[in-house]
């Protein structure tokens, strides 16, 4: 979770705040020479700052304990897709998600159930976000189903793909694969990544529904 939060802050809020400093410095240069232009630059800074505040609010919102008792798992995924669709308006997101609560491993322990579902949710969130941010494609497809007592998660995109065999550790972290693998391993699951340059990427994840490790 610390790594996820650090990545979110670094990739969005911190970079945008750094850019905002440059805009303010530019505005200060115009104050004496062209006050009207300086005012316009400052107005754009205000708009930009509001968007940064929105990003930080989203990060804080994601820190809140998540429960699926009221909304249900599928509705939470609906909300996730709705939120990222608003951010990435030019990318089509198609998804088919089963009602996972009915098949989870420990019906008698709600805390364990919820922790399991939160981890699955974060895995899906990471896979979807990576595809939207890095694939450069225009369509992402998510499928979540229960088969042979396993939760199967498949995320595909039609983007640029990459040569996974030649990716170094930094590239692995950049795509969020390292963090996603850690979450899957926590549940004794496995990840398969199929990708070729200019032919998109397919991520297949299998998580057993019985006795996941570490939970």
């Amino acid at each position: 979770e610390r790594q996820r939060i650090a990545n979110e802050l670094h990739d969005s809020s911190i970079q945008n705040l750094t850019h905002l400093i440059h805009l303010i410095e530019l505005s200060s240069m115009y104050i004496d020479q062209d006050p009207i232009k300086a005012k316009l630059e400052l107005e754009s800074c205000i708009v930009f700052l509001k968007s940064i505040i929105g990003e930080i609010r989203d990060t804080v919102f994601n820190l809140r304990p998540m429960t699926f008792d009221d909304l249900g798992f599928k509705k939470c995924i609906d909300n996730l897709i709705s939120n990222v669709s608003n951010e990435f308006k030019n990318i089509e997101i198609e998804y088919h998600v089963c009602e996972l609560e009915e098949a989870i491993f420990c019906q008698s322990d709600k805390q364990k159930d919820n922790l399991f579902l939160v981890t699955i949710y974060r895995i899906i969130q990471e896979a979807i976000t990576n595809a939207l941010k890095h694939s450069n494609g225009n369509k992402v497809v998510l499928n979540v189903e229960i088969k042979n007592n396993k939760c199967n998660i498949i995320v595909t995109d039609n983007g640029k793909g990459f040569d996974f065999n030649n990716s170094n550790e930094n590239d692995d972290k950049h795509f969020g694969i390292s963090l996603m693998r850690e979450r899957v391993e926590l549940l004794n699951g496995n990840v398969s990544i199929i990708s070729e340059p200019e032919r998109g990427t397919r991520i297949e994840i299998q998580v057993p529904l019985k006795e996941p490790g570490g939970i």
Side-chain angles (χ1 to χ4, degrees):
E1 284 301 292
R2 286 181 175 180
Q3 185 176 350
R4 178 183 66 82
I5 296 163
N7 288 341
E8 285 186 2
L9 292 175
H10 179 269
D11 292 343
S12 58
S13 302
I14 291 177
Q15 290 187 11
N16 288 334
L17 284 170
T18 303
H19 182 56
L20 182 62
I21 291 174
H22 296 321
L23 292 178
I24 294 173
E25 290 174 345
L26 182 63
S27 302
S28 66
M29 294 173 57
Y30 290 138
I31 288 178
D32 295 328
Q33 301 174 2
D34 192 340
I36 295 177
K37 192 169 185 178
K39 183 180 179 180
L40 292 173
E41 288 292 337
L42 287 172
E43 288 176 352
S44 67
C45 288
I46 292 172
V47 174
F48 195 36
L49 181 57
K50 287 181 178 178
S51 70
I52 296 173
I53 292 172
E55 291 173 352
I56 295 174
R57 280 177 176 166
D58 289 341
T59 301
V60 172
F61 178 83
N62 286 331
L63 287 174
R64 298 190 311 168
M66 186 179 297
T67 177
F68 299 91
D69 292 341
D70 297 328
L71 293 179
F73 181 79
K74 188 175 185 301
K75 181 60 178 177
C76 288
I77 297 296
D78 288 341
N79 292 341
L80 169 65
I81 299 299
S82 177
N83 290 336
V84 295
S85 294
N86 289 331
E87 183 179 356
F88 299 90
K89 298 182 184 297
N90 296 326
I91 302 178
E92 178 187 356
I93 305 176
E94 178 183 323
Y95 66 106
H96 308 279
V97 178
C98 66
E99 296 288 354
L100 191 55
E101 297 98 319
E102 299 176 359
I104 54 178
F105 61 94
C106 185
Q107 297 291 339
S108 61
D109 192 330
K110 292 296 183 183
Q111 186 174 1
K112 275 190 173 184
D113 292 351
N114 194 64
L115 187 53
F116 178 80
L117 289 171
V118 168
T119 307
I120 293 292
Y121 176 91
R122 294 298 187 199
I123 291 169
I124 293 171
Q125 183 183 38
E126 192 71 41
I128 291 288
T129 302
N130 286 336
L132 293 172
K133 285 186 175 180
H134 304 298
S135 72
N136 288 350
N138 59 19
K139 185 174 183 179
V140 175
V141 179
L142 164 69
N143 283 288
V144 181
E145 65 175 2
I146 303 300
K147 188 175 182 180
N148 297 327
N149 211 28
K150 292 181 179 180
C151 176
N152 297 310
I153 303 166
I154 300 175
V155 178
T156 59
D157 66 67
N158 63 351
K160 61 183 180 180
F162 61 101
D163 189 347
F164 185 71
N165 292 326
N166 292 330
S167 296
N168 58 36
E169 188 175 351
N170 290 330
D171 288 333
D172 189 36
K173 290 180 180 179
H174 176 71
F175 282 97
I177 294 172
S178 177
L179 181 58
M180 187 172 59
R181 282 189 183 279
E182 288 177 8
R183 295 188 192 279
V184 174
E185 289 173 0
L186 180 68
L187 301 179
N188 280 346
N190 58 75
V191 181
S192 174
I193 300 173
I194 304 167
S195 184
E196 295 180 24
E198 309 306 326
R199 299 191 67 177
T201 300
R202 178 182 175 93
I203 299 177
E204 298 180 357
I205 298 167
Q206 284 191 336
V207 175
L209 296 178
K210 295 290 184 179
E211 301 176 354
I215 295 296

